[in-house]
Amino acid sequence: MGEIARLPLNTREILLCLLLNGPMAGYDIKKALDGDIAGVLDIRISNLYPLLNELADSGLVQFVRVEQTSRPNKKVYCLTEAGRKLCLDALLHCRIRQKFRSELLFPLQFACLLPASHIDRLLDDRLSELRGYLDELARSSVPTAAAYHKFKIGLARAMIEAELEYIVSERHLLTADPRSRKRRSCNTA
């Protein structure tokens, strides 16, 4: 198999991918970006509508104005054949990099300088957050869902459960030895 030499999907390509599932209004695109997509990609688009207009000007999407009573008119966007081709090509040739970021890990680097009660609170807060994510996943799990949806939910559940299990079973590493909290730095030497 040949080497993939492309960067991850760019913002334009991500928008095009959203439209692979069918026509969407700008508001629906924003909801998808803030909902499902935010769960898997770190993306924020402050200039969504100008970007959609740019995609339309480039011939990658087209839109239809839909009149609404007692609301402003809306545009419903769909892929053109050129947009579909570009999107599928981007998906076929993008390089996937799994990034891991955790706001929890930064303060934990300094656990030896912090009171055990604070570390416990940080870990308890994270455990509560993880349990909330698992509840959300359980609510979004549909027995008749497509295989890719089941896989996505299952993988997310496995990752969350692994983090939860690790924190529960290994938190003593950060809170057990009160002597380690008297250091002036957290050097491992």
Side-chain angles (χ1 to χ4, degrees):
M1 187 163 206
E3 184 177 322
I4 296 173
R6 239 185 132 268
L7 294 175
L9 295 176
N10 63 40
T11 304
R12 291 172 41 134
E13 293 163 342
I14 291 168
L15 286 177
L16 293 173
C17 288
L18 282 175
L19 294 171
L20 275 174
N21 291 323
M24 297 175 80
Y27 175 76
D28 297 322
I29 294 170
K30 178 149 181 34
K31 274 188 2 186
L33 290 169
D34 292 342
D36 287 348
I37 303 303
V40 293
L41 292 176
D42 187 17
I43 182 170
R44 288 170 187 56
I45 301 177
S46 58
N47 58 345
L48 174 62
Y49 293 99
L51 191 50
L52 287 168
N53 289 331
E54 180 186 313
L55 291 171
D57 292 344
S58 301
L60 300 173
V61 300
Q62 55 191 17
F63 62 87
V64 176
R65 288 185 201 280
V66 176
E67 290 187 33
Q68 303 182 104
T69 34
S70 70
R71 288 179 150 179
N73 294 342
K74 68 179 179 179
K75 292 180 182 177
V76 176
Y77 298 87
C78 65
L79 285 175
T80 62
E81 192 52 43
R84 180 178 167 75
K85 183 180 178 318
L86 186 133
C87 177
L88 291 174
D89 186 60
L91 286 170
L92 288 169
H93 297 96
C94 70
R95 179 175 39 138
I96 304 300
R97 294 179 300 169
Q98 181 68 34
K99 293 181 182 180
F100 183 77
R101 296 180 193 189
S102 170
E103 292 177 12
L104 174 65
L105 291 179
F106 184 76
L108 292 183
Q109 290 181 81
F110 308 100
C112 67
L113 300 172
L114 300 171
S117 61
H118 182 71
I119 300 302
D120 277 330
R121 186 177 56 82
L122 289 173
L123 295 175
D124 288 341
D125 288 349
R126 181 61 180 164
L127 289 171
S128 177
E129 184 178 36
L130 292 170
R131 289 181 181 115
Y133 291 152
L134 288 173
D135 289 344
E136 283 179 41
L137 288 174
R139 285 191 299 275
S140 68
S141 185
V142 179
T144 59
Y148 72 87
H149 182 75
K150 289 179 182 177
F151 182 87
K152 178 181 80 169
I153 297 295
L155 181 59
R157 183 180 300 113
M159 292 167 61
I160 293 167
E161 286 172 347
E163 182 180 347
L164 197 145
E165 266 181 53
Y166 186 83
I167 291 172
V168 168
S169 67
E170 303 299 324
R171 71 187 299 160
H172 67 277
L173 296 172
L174 297 174
T175 59
D177 185 5
R179 292 171 294 157
S180 66
R181 306 206 174 300
K182 298 193 178 0
R183 297 185 197 155
R184 296 185 90 110
S185 74
C186 292
N187 294 337
T188 55

